[in-house]
């Protein structure tokens, strides 16, 4: 189901930091996600390429961000999400309405292939886990979140 890996010793101190206590990464193959999550597309087309949509889970310490309150837009195709524009037309944040509260969902960027990709960030028990998800799979993100959290629980 999930493959694990370790980041090992940093090669370049300019990019790797020692402030992240997590050393494990998980990969859940696209085919497995599609089998478990109905509606999940294991490949998406970006320009002329078919890209596999495996989930690469990255763990980090919980980061707190101030939620933007300006330039918040409705997202008709995703009723529980709100789009927060940034200074760039190619990058934005999503907020999530969940249990009557608005929380940070993650950030997205235009992949210049007619769609966008997002980094979804889930917070749990003092750590956060993030994964990439393409626009085509955002309608099932709540099911993907459940798979991610169930996988983490099974690995603990």
């Amino acid at each position: 189901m999930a493959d694990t890996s370790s980041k090992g010793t940093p090669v370049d101190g300019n990019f790797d930091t020692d402030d992240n206590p997590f050393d494990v990464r998980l990969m859940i193959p696209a085919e497995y996600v599609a089998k478990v999550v109905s509606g999940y597309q294991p490949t998406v087309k970006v320009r002329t390429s078919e890209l596999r949509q495996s989930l690469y889970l990255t763990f980090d310490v919980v980061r707190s961000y101030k939620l933007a309150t300006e330039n918040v837009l409705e997202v008709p195709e995703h009723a529980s999400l709100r789009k927060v524009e940034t200074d760039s037309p190619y990058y934005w944040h999503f907020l999530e309405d969940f249990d009557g509260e608005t929380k940070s969902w993650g950030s997205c960027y235009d992949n210049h292939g007619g769609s966008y990709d997002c980094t979804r960030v889930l917070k749990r028990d003092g750590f956060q886990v993030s994964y990439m998800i393409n626009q085509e799979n955002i309608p099932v993100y709540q099911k993907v979140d459940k798979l991610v959290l169930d996988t983490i629980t099974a690995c603990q």
Side-chain angles (χ1 to χ4, degrees):
M1 168 176 71
D3 292 330
T4 61
S5 65
S6 174
K7 68 182 176 182
T9 304
V11 174
D12 185 344
N14 292 321
F15 296 100
D16 299 310
T17 62
D18 291 330
D19 66 346
N20 186 337
F22 300 100
D23 194 29
V24 175
R25 306 289 190 252
L26 292 175
M27 188 276 289
I28 305 173
E31 295 75 19
Y32 180 80
V33 180
K35 186 172 127 181
V36 174
V37 176
S38 63
Y40 190 85
Q41 301 299 316
T43 61
V44 296
K45 188 166 187 158
V46 176
R47 292 190 194 114
T48 59
S49 299
E50 288 283 327
L51 303 176
R52 291 184 75 234
Q53 296 299 296
S54 297
L55 297 177
Y56 295 91
L57 309 182
T58 303
F59 296 84
D60 200 354
V61 294
V62 172
R63 310 271 184 206
S64 296
Y65 303 100
K66 182 179 181 218
L67 294 179
T69 56
E70 300 174 352
N71 302 324
V72 178
L73 306 170
E74 299 290 319
V75 183
E77 66 271 23
H78 308 299
S80 65
L81 299 179
R82 305 289 174 263
K83 181 179 180 180
V84 180
E85 295 181 325
T86 65
D87 292 336
S88 170
Y90 307 108
Y91 178 80
W92 61 93
H93 300 281
F94 271 151
L95 301 176
E96 177 181 32
D97 293 334
F98 187 76
D99 286 341
E101 190 177 341
T102 300
K103 298 180 179 186
S104 177
W105 182 91
S107 57
C108 303
Y109 64 91
D110 186 325
N111 63 23
H112 303 288
S115 64
Y116 57 87
D117 295 298
C118 299
T119 301
R120 171 70 168 123
V121 179
L122 291 166
K123 295 180 180 174
R124 179 188 168 135
D125 301 331
F127 68 91
Q128 65 185 34
V129 61
S130 60
Y131 64 87
M132 296 296 295
I133 186 166
N134 181 271
Q135 174 184 2
E136 283 191 43
N137 286 315
I138 290 178
V140 295
Y141 81 87
Q142 291 168 325
K143 294 177 190 176
V144 174
D145 286 355
K146 181 178 180 335
L147 171 62
V148 167
L149 294 174
D150 288 349
T151 301
I152 291 168
T153 299
C155 292
Q156 288 181 322

